[in-house]
Amino acid sequence: MEHAQEHEACLEQTQRYCVERPIYNQELLQGQLHRRERTPQTLRQKIAHSCRCSSKKAKSHLYSFLPILKWLPRYPVKEYLLGDIISGISTGVMQLPQGLAYALLAAVPPVFGLYSSFYPVFLYTFFGTSKHISIGTFAVISMMVGGVAVRQVPDEIISVGYNSTNVTDSFEYDNPRDARRVQVAVTLAFLSGIIQLCLGLLRFGFVAIYLTEPLVRGFTTAAAVHVFTSQLKYLLGIKTNRYSGPLSVVYSIAAVLSKITTTNIAALIVGLTCIVLLLIGKEINLRFKKQLPVPIPMEIIVVIIGTGVSAGMNLSESYSVDVVGSIPQGLRAPAVPEIQLIPAIFVDAIAIAIVGFSMAVSMAKIFALKHGYTIDGNQELIALGICNSVGSFFQSFSITCSMSRSLVQESTGGKTQIAGALSSVMVLLVIVAIGYLFEPLPQTVLAAIVMVNLKGMFKQFGDIAHFWRTSRIELAIWVVAFLASLLLGLDYGLLTAVAFAVITVIYRTQSPQYRILGRIPDTDIYCDVEEYEEVKEYPGIKIFQANASLYFANSESYTSALKKKTGVDPCAILAARRKAQKRHAREIKAANQLRKKAVLKLTNDVEASVKHEIANDELPVNGKFASADASAQDMSPDEHEHFVEPKTNIHSLILDFTPVNFVDSVGAKTLKSIIKEYKEVGVCVYIASCSGPVMNELTRLNFFDNAVTRELLFHSIHDAVLACQGKDGSASQTDFDL
């Protein structure tokens, strides 16, 4: 009782509206509205307008291309500088060991990780629009680069007949194979940068939307497995070949297991110790995040300790522990990438360009939303393209945004791109001055850093339970992206995942949900009759809704669902009528034949002498005629097996087009066929809530003619319902009131 009183009180407080207006169909509505006059521009005028230059337009384009010109003059030094300095130092301290470690993933000497942590990061300061992301080396991209480098230059190949003068002018390699892999990585960075730059200039920033969150998370989880298996040999100190392509994970694990007996115990102890220290440091940073002014830089601490222990105990010679080796001092002269490699790595460059952009723009959007500013996706493409392409001339490999460093840069007080510039300056100091100090650093320490940084990606396995509860289709995307990337390799796995994601979109539009709508009493609101008890249908009126557009892929299922949901199949009704007509004709023919036989019998019966007896003989014959005629008019129940209501009690059918975004030529023909077929069985079809763009498409497709006019289209479902009631003549005045 109290609940009912509260409900009534709530209804009394609810705002109400009452509108009295005519019942509008599109013909009447368009007749009362006046369209704005718009002069369409010719192609020549559009080109002339886009090429027109003014000082204001030139300034706008310049600021868009170089965002630093817009924010640097207004940089609040007193408010932002201290936070940017602290953030830049913290990020730079993290950037240094990760640059060295991720170079191993890219299959190039560690010093090239330092180059990739300086040039692109510094360039992004001028061209990037995000204030908080940290550009540089990243595990997934480095792994993809390494896969291409190993595929093009396997471990067995030597430098016979290969000219690598661009690389070796100022740097001596321990292994000539490294020179070739560096060239592959550098050319890959150049090509992926050019692709990103072109996409940005052509305003193709929307390509990232095809990499949905489940796809990216499944892909990065598989990449984490690839990265982890590739680092096992460094952690264990085992000498094995590096594999790429399909089943590379399986081959890598098999190679490690086949040589597990040759494990270098010293390298394993150092690596495991570093892993424990890094995990403890990350846990402390996480638990005492609010108490610590800056995160504890455990990675650089581990690098310093590992370098000191290696140098003091001479691990390289005494225990055969692999170390970083030669780190040349100073910057290198620019060199042109090997252009002849482009055809062999073009597809890989496309994958790296799109994945790199997707990673960067997704993190940039998160921080932009959190701090209340906007980013330009197309400018981010341009910025990444410049960072990769220009950086490739200085021997850097492909880069993108690092999630872990970006979180550190933002959490330590970074406000603008100045923090990223300061982190790149720290890397520059190492390259120019003290890089040689890290030459004794064991590679197992770098492997430990890489493995611990994969912790966040491995947590993404929890997505399986999440997507199982929320969306099975997104779960399928995640699983396909993971398995395809794990088994086929990151390049083919990404293409497979994108193709599968597109297929799921087609599946959703091809198999939409269909509903019959009814009215909530005393309102003009229409809902699913199967979902709510209060919703009631109008007698003789069916309202049909499909939550998808009408086009070639789902037009047939749309028609089938319409017949099934409404219980009216025009084809079955017409077929039953034709069948009944044929049966009626056969019965009449049979009755006529019986009549002729009876007449013939009467004329031949000369022995009959009394007219009364003749009359008595005719009675059963006439009785047969009446029975035949009566049976000819009756139809057996099985002749209505394909529809619910014989001769249908439905006089109007309303198609709700609220969810319809577009209609193609096949959909328009299907719609026209529906109107024609239902009209033949006495059912009028109306269309409600058709949007302006869909109306324009129907007009262009010549949908309207003498039989199908705009009078069949109504502004809302309720307009259509009231019009149907008015034409049927069975509605009372109360039916028209809300």
Side-chain angles (χ1 to χ4, degrees):
M1 185 68 180
E2 293 179 357
H3 179 72
Q5 291 177 350
E6 291 178 359
H7 182 67
E8 290 177 1
C10 182
L11 287 177
E12 291 177 358
Q13 296 176 359
T14 304
Q15 293 181 337
R16 304 176 69 87
Y17 79 94
C18 181
V19 178
E20 185 177 348
R21 63 170 177 82
I23 299 172
Y24 283 117
N25 58 32
Q26 285 296 332
E27 191 74 27
L28 180 60
L29 188 62
Q30 293 297 327
Q32 295 188 5
L33 296 177
H34 302 281
R35 289 188 176 273
R36 297 181 184 275
E37 293 185 3
R38 295 179 180 177
T39 305
Q41 289 184 328
T42 63
L43 179 61
R44 182 178 179 182
Q45 289 174 330
K46 291 180 181 179
I47 296 175
H49 178 73
S50 61
C51 295
R52 190 178 302 152
C53 185
S54 64
S55 58
K56 184 178 180 181
K57 191 173 183 180
K59 187 177 180 181
S60 174
H61 282 299
L62 182 62
Y63 281 174
S64 177
F65 186 71
L66 282 169
I68 192 173
L69 298 178
K70 191 173 183 179
W71 61 263
L72 186 60
R74 293 181 286 181
Y75 182 80
V77 178
K78 293 183 180 180
E79 297 178 20
Y80 286 2
L81 185 59
L82 180 60
D84 280 341
I85 290 175
I86 295 174
S87 176
I89 293 173
S90 302
T91 309
V93 166
M94 196 175 180
Q95 186 108 276
L96 173 63
Q98 287 191 3
L100 294 170
Y102 292 154
L104 295 180
L105 292 177
V108 296
V111 67
F112 291 93
L114 297 181
Y115 297 152
S116 302
S117 300
F118 168 61
Y119 291 106
V121 179
F122 188 73
L123 287 170
Y124 185 83
T125 305
F126 295 90
F127 299 98
T129 60
S130 177
K131 301 177 182 179
H132 295 92
I133 64 172
S134 174
I135 294 296
T137 56
F138 182 56
V140 175
I141 298 298
S142 299
M143 188 69 198
M144 295 178 74
V145 172
V148 178
V150 172
R151 187 189 70 215
Q152 295 297 318
V153 188
D155 289 335
E156 298 82 6
I157 288 185
I158 58 175
S159 58
V160 176
Y162 182 79
N163 181 12
S164 59
T165 56
N166 286 341
V167 184
T168 56
D169 286 341
S170 58
F171 183 71
E172 293 295 331
Y173 289 89
D174 295 332
N175 188 341
R177 177 198 62 207
D178 291 341
R180 300 184 63 178
R181 288 183 174 174
V182 167
Q183 272 304 305
V184 172
V186 166
T187 307
L188 191 60
F190 171 76
L191 185 55
S192 63
I194 293 297
I195 292 171
Q196 289 172 331
L197 188 59
C198 292
L199 291 176
L201 293 174
L202 294 174
R203 324 305 288 176
F204 268 63
F206 66 87
V207 294
I209 65 175
Y210 292 102
L211 299 181
T212 64
E213 182 183 2
L215 188 152
V216 172
R217 294 177 73 86
F219 173 78
T220 53
T221 306
V225 177
H226 278 278
V227 171
F228 187 86
T229 54
S230 71
Q231 296 304 294
L232 285 175
K233 68 175 186 179
Y234 298 110
L235 180 67
L236 301 174
I238 295 174
K239 304 289 185 182
T240 64
N241 292 335
R242 179 165 175 171
Y243 300 92
S244 65
L247 300 179
S248 58
V249 171
V250 178
Y251 296 143
S252 297
I253 294 175
V256 170
L257 293 177
S258 66
K259 295 188 177 182
I260 195 72
T261 55
T262 63
T263 299
N264 189 311
I265 302 300
L268 180 60
I269 292 173
V270 172
L272 292 177
T273 303
C274 292
I275 288 176
V276 172
L277 291 175
L278 288 168
L279 289 174
I280 292 173
K282 285 186 176 292
E283 190 65 25
I284 292 174
N285 287 335
L286 182 62
R287 292 199 175 187
F288 301 97
K289 182 179 180 180
K290 295 182 179 179
Q291 288 81 3
L292 294 172
V294 294
I296 299 174
M298 282 305 300
E299 291 180 346
I300 193 65
I301 292 173
V302 164
V303 166
I304 294 173
I305 294 175
T307 303
V309 170
S310 176
M313 299 181 65
N314 197 12
L315 295 180
S316 177
E317 295 182 3
S318 301
Y319 299 94
S320 301
V321 174
D322 292 331
V323 296
V324 168
S326 177
I327 298 180
Q329 198 167 350
L331 299 174
R332 305 184 60 234
V336 179
E338 297 288 344
I339 306 299
Q340 64 268 24
L341 292 173
I342 288 178
I345 60 176
F346 184 76
V347 175
D348 304 285
I350 294 176
I352 289 174
I354 295 177
V355 172
F357 169 65
S358 177
M359 297 286 183
V361 78
S362 59
M363 285 298 294
K365 285 181 178 179
I366 292 173
F367 289 125
L369 183 64
K370 181 178 179 180
H371 294 277
Y373 64 92
T374 59
I375 64 160
D376 184 350
N378 292 307
Q379 181 59 29
E380 286 298 300
L381 263 176
I382 293 173
L384 289 173
I386 292 174
C387 292
N388 279 317
S389 58
V390 175
S392 67
F393 288 90
F394 299 92
Q395 284 73 53
S396 68
F397 53 84
S398 298
I399 53 85
T400 186
C401 159
S402 168
M403 289 184 276
S404 58
R405 290 197 308 271
S406 297
L407 292 172
V408 169
Q409 182 171 317
E410 186 262 346
S411 63
T412 53
K415 302 293 184 182
T416 64
Q417 293 90 324
I418 294 292
L422 292 176
S423 69
S424 69
V425 170
M426 289 195 62
V427 176
L428 176 64
L429 293 177
V430 173
I431 295 173
V432 173
I434 61 174
Y436 67 94
L437 295 177
F438 296 100
E439 290 180 356
L441 176 64
Q443 290 186 0
T444 186
V445 175
L446 299 179
I449 292 173
V450 172
M451 287 180 168
V452 172
N453 280 323
L454 298 176
K455 180 182 175 182
M457 293 187 188
F458 282 128
K459 286 183 177 180
Q460 293 176 162
F461 278 110
D463 293 345
I464 297 176
H466 169 71
F467 288 127
W468 177 265
R469 293 190 302 268
T470 57
S471 173
R472 303 293 172 86
I473 291 181
E474 290 189 333
L475 174 63
I477 294 174
W478 194 100
V479 171
V480 169
F482 174 77
L483 293 178
S485 302
L486 184 67
L487 300 177
L488 302 180
L490 297 180
D491 45 3
Y492 294 114
L494 178 64
L495 294 176
T496 304
V498 171
F500 182 78
V502 172
I503 290 173
T504 62
V505 175
I506 297 173
Y507 169 75
R508 289 186 179 189
T509 58
Q510 192 173 357
S511 304
Q513 294 181 348
Y514 301 102
R515 305 187 299 173
I516 293 295
L517 305 183
R519 179 190 175 196
I520 299 177
D522 300 324
T523 70
D524 61 347
I525 301 172
Y526 292 82
C527 300
D528 189 354
V529 295
E530 296 179 358
E531 188 170 353
Y532 302 103
E533 296 178 356
E534 295 82 1
V535 175
K536 304 298 180 184
E537 290 187 71
Y538 283 101
I541 301 175
K542 290 286 185 180
I543 306 170
F544 179 77
Q545 183 193 73
N547 65 336
S549 297
L550 183 58
Y551 69 115
F552 69 92
N554 65 358
S555 58
E556 186 174 345
S557 62
Y558 185 93
T559 305
S560 300
L562 176 64
K563 295 174 181 178
K564 182 178 179 180
K565 285 287 186 180
T566 59
V568 181
D569 187 346
C571 296
I573 294 175
L574 293 174
R577 287 181 181 177
R578 286 193 292 268
K579 186 177 180 182
Q581 290 172 356
K582 290 180 180 179
R583 179 175 178 179
H584 184 62
R586 286 197 302 269
E587 290 179 350
I588 291 175
K589 185 177 180 180
N592 290 334
Q593 290 177 350
L594 289 174
R595 185 189 297 272
K596 290 179 180 179
K597 289 181 180 179
V599 171
L600 183 61
K601 182 179 180 181
L602 289 174
T603 55
N604 292 334
D605 195 1
V606 292
E607 296 179 355
S609 60
V610 183
K611 292 183 178 180
H612 178 71
E613 292 179 357
I614 297 174
N616 288 339
D617 289 336
E618 288 179 345
L619 287 176
V621 177
N622 291 334
K624 270 192 177 182
F625 298 158
S627 175
D629 293 340
S631 63
Q633 296 175 1
D634 292 334
M635 293 176 63
S636 58
D638 63 305
E639 291 172 339
H640 299 298
E641 58 186 351
H642 295 296
F643 56 95
V644 177
E645 300 166 353
K647 297 185 180 179
T648 181
N649 294 326
I650 298 173
H651 58 78
S652 298
L653 174 61
I654 300 172
L655 306 180
D656 179 20
F657 263 41
T658 304
V660 176
N661 295 320
F662 69 92
V663 177
D664 67 354
S665 59
V666 177
K669 291 178 181 177
T670 301
L671 195 58
K672 211 165 186 177
S673 175
I674 289 172
I675 295 173
K676 181 181 178 182
E677 288 179 2
Y678 277 87
K679 187 176 181 180
E680 291 179 358
V681 296
V683 178
C684 296
V685 179
Y686 302 96
I687 301 172
S689 302
C690 187
S691 65
V694 175
M695 280 280 295
N696 295 334
E697 288 178 358
L698 291 175
T699 304
R700 284 195 298 269
L701 294 170
N702 298 320
F703 176 74
F704 300 104
D705 54 23
N706 295 330
V708 181
T709 65
R710 295 178 188 271
E711 293 181 354
L712 299 180
L713 276 70
F714 288 86
H715 180 68
S716 67
I717 298 176
H718 201 61
D719 283 302
V721 169
L722 297 180
C724 293
Q725 289 179 324
K727 291 181 179 180
D728 181 51
S730 60
S732 64
Q733 181 61 35
T734 56
D735 294 327
F736 289 77
D737 296 333
L738 296 182

